[in-house]
Amino acid sequence: MTAIRDISLISVAASVLLTLAVTAPVRAQTAVDAALEMANTLDGAGGGVSGDALLSALEGAAEAGQPMALWQLGTMYENGEGVAKDPVKAFGYFSQIANQHADTPPRGVEADIVAQSFVKVGEYYRHGLPDAGIAADSERSHTLLLHAATYFGDADAQYRVGLLYLEEDGLGYNPLQSARWFSLAARKGHGPAQAQLGELMFNGIDGFEAQPVEGLMWMTMARQRVAGTTDESWVTEKLNRSLALATPEERAEASQLAAQIGPQLEGL
């Protein structure tokens, strides 16, 4: 469904919001980044707009079908940022994006927001949301996640699909399929996927011999990629465990490869 673009009935604050929504992607790397920039610009002192006015502006733009406004409201209610935490409302906003923009062009400006909305809605279905009358539904969760991973090529979705192939109660234990999905995400610069792929390659999987140098390379790049994030500790643990088993020659070669290839993925 095409988003409504007519802003004639939206407040002046919302008009400013929509202007930023159009211009922000020029500065931001993705539409998700643009939505964050938009919120930071209008967070009070910076944009001269009160919290209530910001919320009103976002709600007005959301009613007009603006994905970035829907996304921002969803994340605000999901995390309790500036509003009371309300997963039911968050689910509603993310669902609206997924329902209305499922056919957004995969390389469109707002594609990442739509793809991530599919991921978030999929997570809600995975665990269930009783307050919204939603029971856990793994099959529906997998369908939503696979749409984000295949149609949109979303790296985070591809990583999550890779994890599901390492779970018996996920998509069925299949390390080869898991490695395939991790590889798709890793080549887009997804740090956790790089770490998981690296470990599989280092240890080897059915049908493929271990490739310790390539495995260490991916884990080395992963640690650099996730530095300072919540993923740093487990990624570092995987790398250190593998380094202890590798030969000095393997460690040296992997480090050299990571230094050569890593920078090529940094902008992705």
Side-chain angles (χ1 to χ4, degrees), residues 13-61:
S15 297
V16 174
L17 176 68
L18 294 178
T19 299
L20 285 172
V22 172
T23 59
V26 174
R27 301 188 304 274
Q29 186 175 11
T30 67
V32 173
D33 295 333
L36 180 59
E37 285 186 11
M38 175 181 69
N40 290 337
T41 303
L42 293 175
D43 68 354
V49 180
S50 69
D52 289 342
L54 170 60
L55 185 60
S56 177
L58 286 168
E59 290 173 342

Side-chain angles (χ1 to χ4, degrees), residues 191-208:
Q194 292 173 342
Q196 297 285 5
L197 174 64
E199 184 176 53
L200 288 175
M201 295 183 71
F202 183 87
N203 294 320
I205 56 179
D206 291 341
F208 284 88

Side-chain angles (χ1 to χ4, degrees), residues 4 6 8 31 38 49 73 78 87 95 107 109 112 122 127 137 194 208 210 216 223 225 228 237 262:
I4 300 172
D6 184 1
S8 61
M38 175 181 69
V49 180
L73 285 168
E78 182 177 64
S95 293
R107 296 186 182 277
V109 172
D112 59 316
H127 301 289
D137 186 338
Q194 292 173 342
F208 284 88
L216 286 175
R223 185 175 62 177
R225 191 79 173 187
E237 182 180 349

Side-chain angles (χ1 to χ4, degrees), residues 76-95:
M76 287 170 65
Y77 281 109
E78 182 177 64
N79 302 318
E81 299 172 349
V83 294
K85 193 172 183 178
D86 190 331
V88 175
K89 286 187 177 180
F91 172 81
Y93 285 119
F94 294 136
S95 293

Side-chain angles (χ1 to χ4, degrees), residues 3-251:
I4 300 172
R5 299 295 179 178
D6 184 1
I7 63 173
S8 61
L9 299 181
I10 303 176
S11 66
V12 173
S15 297
V16 174
L17 176 68
L18 294 178
T19 299
L20 285 172
V22 172
T23 59
V26 174
R27 301 188 304 274
Q29 186 175 11
T30 67
V32 173
D33 295 333
L36 180 59
E37 285 186 11
M38 175 181 69
N40 290 337
T41 303
L42 293 175
D43 68 354
V49 180
S50 69
D52 289 342
L54 170 60
L55 185 60
S56 177
L58 286 168
E59 290 173 342
E63 290 177 4
Q66 290 292 331
M68 271 192 263
L70 291 164
W71 171 266
Q72 189 60 41
L73 285 168
T75 55
M76 287 170 65
Y77 281 109
E78 182 177 64
N79 302 318
E81 299 172 349
V83 294
K85 193 172 183 178
D86 190 331
V88 175
K89 286 187 177 180
F91 172 81
Y93 285 119
F94 294 136
S95 293
Q96 186 175 341
I97 297 174
N99 290 334
Q100 295 181 350
H101 302 277
D103 58 352
T104 292
R107 296 186 182 277
V109 172
E110 295 162 340
D112 59 316
I113 278 179
V114 179
Q116 279 296 297
S117 294
F118 270 92
V119 172
K120 287 185 176 294
V121 175
E123 281 297 298
Y124 280 114
Y125 274 108
R126 180 182 182 184
H127 301 289
L129 190 58
D131 290 344
I134 296 172
D137 186 338
S138 59
E139 184 175 349
R140 188 165 188 178
S141 174
H142 297 164
T143 298
L144 292 164
L145 195 60
L146 284 165
H147 182 69
T150 55
Y151 177 75
F152 288 103
D154 182 79
D156 188 48
Q158 291 171 339
Y159 166 66
R160 291 169 185 261
V161 171
L163 291 177
L164 288 174
Y165 275 112
L166 291 179
E167 303 173 5
E168 290 290 353
D169 59 350
L171 291 172
Y173 186 72
N174 189 328
L176 185 59
Q177 279 292 342
S178 181
R180 172 179 174 266
W181 285 102
F182 286 148
S183 178
L184 290 172
R187 294 173 193 283
K188 294 184 175 76
H190 193 283
Q194 292 173 342
Q196 297 285 5
L197 174 64
E199 184 176 53
L200 288 175
M201 295 183 71
F202 183 87
N203 294 320
I205 56 179
D206 291 341
F208 284 88
E209 293 183 1
Q211 301 176 54
V213 172
E214 289 82 355
L216 286 175
M217 176 199 73
W218 282 114
M219 284 185 278
T220 299
M221 292 192 296
R223 185 175 62 177
Q224 296 169 350
R225 191 79 173 187
V226 303
T229 71
T230 56
D231 295 308
E232 184 175 10
S233 60
W234 69 263
V235 170
T236 300
E237 182 180 349
K238 284 183 182 294
L239 174 59
N240 288 341
R241 186 166 56 242
S242 298
L243 285 171
L245 299 173
T247 66
E249 293 75 18
E250 289 169 341
R251 292 195 293 268

